[in-house]
Amino acid sequence: MSFMEIKNLGKTYTDEDVFTQVLKDVSFEIKKGEFTAIMGPSGSGKSTLLHILGFLDKPTAGEYLFEGKEVREYTDEEAAAVRNKKMGFVFQSFNLLPRTTVLENVKLPLVYSGTEEGAWDDTAKEAIAAVGLFHRLDFEPSQLSGGEKQRVAIARALVCNPQVIFADEPTGNLDSKSGELVMDTIQKLHKDKGHTIILITHETYTAEYAERIIRLRDGMIESDTRVENRRTGKAFIK
């Protein structure tokens, strides 16, 4: 059984009498532990596809099976539980709470996770250490660089030990050096902890970290290729 299976997926948005088809007849499978990059130009449907895969939106055609269950069969409560416990999200804009420490930002998802409150600090500190920022525990976002903010966002995505991490243009607001550090962090998590990674990007250098590249154009799959990870030999964050 595939971890995630997409069959003839379609997504159309309706605004009064105007219909905009964003995804058309998209089909692929993702196995646990894969690192997949989804590439394409602006308007190709990348982010819409991520939102559907991450239970943030629903398709208007076709099927999406997560762990063998069709997405439409999940109740709103079940879908929310899957998002919180089995999925982690990293976005381009960081989405950190201002005037709140790194530790408090990373702890936030644990409030809704069912984890005992007494374990929150240690669990969050472990996630922060995994992205190399333990020395920034008590810093606020305004005291961090862009790359450090994104690594805090990665730690927050990790804290509930999700099965899959969705990263939507995680280096889009960063300079090239900070972007490489963030991607090294994501790759380390995949290598050391076996997380399934789905990376949305339009940048070739970030896609090079993946093992597989799915290219979208005009809402359809243009190619689906397994690639040699050219970044495997890079030094990882300790």
Side-chain angles (χ1 to χ4, degrees):
M1 180 182 70
S2 295
F3 180 41
M4 305 165 79
E5 186 174 1
I6 302 297
K7 300 179 181 179
N8 307 115
L9 193 80
K11 180 66 179 180
T12 300
Y13 291 103
T14 305
D15 184 5
E16 295 182 349
D17 295 328
V18 179
F19 298 89
T20 303
Q21 192 171 16
V22 181
L23 295 173
K24 312 167 189 175
D25 198 29
V26 173
S27 297
F28 61 88
E29 299 180 15
I30 290 178
K31 297 179 181 178
K32 280 188 177 180
E34 283 191 337
F35 189 162
T36 301
I38 299 176
M39 294 191 71
S42 297
S44 61
K46 304 186 302 296
S47 291
T48 298
L49 180 56
L50 178 143
H51 289 164
I52 291 173
L53 295 177
F55 283 33
L56 300 171
D57 199 355
K58 293 184 179 180
T60 50
E63 296 179 275
Y64 169 30
L65 285 78
F66 182 82
E67 295 187 319
K69 184 175 179 178
E70 219 287 328
V71 64
R72 294 179 182 87
E73 297 177 6
Y74 286 87
T75 65
D76 289 345
E77 291 77 13
E78 289 171 337
V82 169
R83 279 195 305 270
N84 190 57
K85 296 180 180 179
K86 297 187 177 184
M87 298 176 174
F89 297 88
V90 181
F91 296 104
Q92 180 176 337
S93 56
F94 315 137
N95 295 333
L96 301 179
L97 296 177
R99 297 182 296 281
T100 304
T101 66
V102 166
L103 180 60
E104 294 300 321
N105 265 285
V106 174
K107 279 167 56 175
L108 186 61
L110 295 171
V111 176
Y112 310 100
S113 69
T115 303
E116 292 186 6
E117 186 172 356
W120 290 356
D121 276 10
D122 287 344
T123 303
K125 287 176 181 178
E126 183 179 348
I128 294 165
V131 300
L133 285 179
F134 198 80
H135 60 298
R136 296 285 194 257
L137 278 180
D138 297 321
F139 281 50
E140 295 182 0
S142 62
Q143 299 172 291
L144 304 175
S145 69
E148 288 174 332
K149 290 176 185 177
Q150 193 60 289
R151 286 156 64 193
V152 174
I154 293 169
R156 185 181 56 195
L158 279 178
V159 75
C160 291
N161 193 29
Q163 295 183 23
V164 55
I165 295 175
F166 296 100
D168 190 0
E169 301 282 7
T171 62
N173 285 334
L174 305 177
D175 59 58
S176 59
K177 183 176 180 180
S178 297
E180 286 203 12
L181 193 57
V182 164
M183 289 308 304
D184 286 347
T185 302
I186 291 174
Q187 189 182 52
K188 175 176 169 59
L189 298 172
H190 172 251
K191 178 177 180 288
D192 292 353
K193 297 181 179 296
H195 288 290
T196 303
I197 308 289
I198 298 178
L199 169 70
I200 302 295
T201 184
H202 66 276
E203 299 170 325
T204 300
Y205 93 89
T206 56
E208 288 178 348
Y209 285 82
E211 305 161 328
R212 174 187 183 188
I213 299 176
I214 297 173
R215 295 181 185 274
L216 294 182
R217 183 172 294 276
D218 299 327
M220 297 180 288
I221 292 181
E222 184 177 54
S223 64
D224 183 350
T225 309
R226 296 204 173 272
V227 294
E228 180 181 352
N229 187 323
R230 287 183 251 172
R231 302 281 179 161
T232 301
K234 290 178 69 68
F236 293 111
I237 298 170
K238 300 297 183 183

